[in-house]
Amino acid sequence: MQSTLAIIKPDAVNNLNSGDIVRLIELNGFNIKEMKKTTIEKKDAEKFYAVHKERPFFKELVNYMTSGPIIVMVLEKTNAIASWRELMGTTNPDTANMGTIRKMFGQSVQLNAVHGSDSPQAAQEEIKFFFK
Ligand code: IDP
Ligand code: MG
């Protein structure tokens, strides 16, 4: 069993898509080990996305992630990290496969509905970040 961090981002919560997204997570065989609705402050969003701090979209990304409530989950499954990223789809919803969450609920490369850890080390750090 592997664990990964999933976030339903502010756009998807605001657009009332979180119920559908949680249902897809369940139907795809993930165990939702932890789940909470929360908001993050600017300095925490900057810390969470620190790997992107030199990118041109960093400031917008931080503004977006602090713009409203998010739903944070720890998902458990065999190969949870890759499996969740596959269900999410590519960063840009335009290129995402049919049936993926970003294809169905993402609005743009920025407002793309969900987050998922991209490596075992990131998963461990990101889970610790939200669930001490
Ligand atoms: P990922 O979420 O698929 O792992 P990352 O490259 O880690 O993608 O980027 C983190 C987040 O930053 C994305 O999910 C998206 O919200 C935002 N982002 C990524 N690339 C761009 C861009 O080119 N313009 C605006 N926002 C972006
Ligand atoms: Mg990423």
Side-chain angles (χ1 to χ4, degrees):
M1 268 318 182
Q2 193 177 53
S3 294
T4 191
L5 187 89
I7 303 177
I8 304 177
K9 294 180 174 182
D11 59 312
V13 174
N14 188 47
N15 293 332
L16 310 182
N17 291 324
S18 40
D20 287 348
I21 293 170
V22 170
R23 185 72 183 131
L24 283 167
I25 288 169
E26 292 178 324
L27 289 173
N28 279 275
F30 292 91
N31 175 43
I32 302 172
K33 198 174 164 195
E34 305 273 3
M35 174 156 78
K36 67 177 175 190
K37 189 173 189 177
T38 186
T39 52
I40 45 174
E41 288 178 17
K42 189 164 177 265
K43 72 168 182 357
D44 290 323
E46 285 170 351
K47 213 192 285 173
F48 186 79
Y49 278 118
V51 295
H52 295 308
K53 69 173 181 292
E54 305 303 333
R55 309 282 285 276
F57 58 80
F58 181 69
K59 202 172 160 209
E60 259 186 50
L61 175 60
V62 168
N63 286 340
Y64 159 50
M65 291 302 290
T66 56
S67 67
I70 57 175
I71 294 170
V72 191
M73 286 169 277
V74 177
L75 305 182
E76 232 181 21
K77 190 182 175 178
T78 304
N79 277 322
I81 295 168
S83 182
W84 170 235
R85 287 198 66 97
E86 192 184 338
L87 180 59
M88 287 200 305
T90 55
T91 306
N92 188 340
D94 291 343
T95 61
N97 289 331
M98 295 292 291
T100 63
I101 290 171
R102 282 169 165 171
K103 181 60 125 193
M104 287 187 273
F105 303 113
Q107 299 167 76
S108 69
V109 66
Q110 178 180 239
L111 307 180
N112 59 6
V114 281
H115 167 85
S117 310
D118 65 3
S119 69
Q121 197 194 323
Q124 195 185 23
E125 288 170 7
E126 291 178 2
I127 289 168
K128 224 188 313 165
F129 188 92
F130 282 103
F131 300 96
K132 292 271 144 59

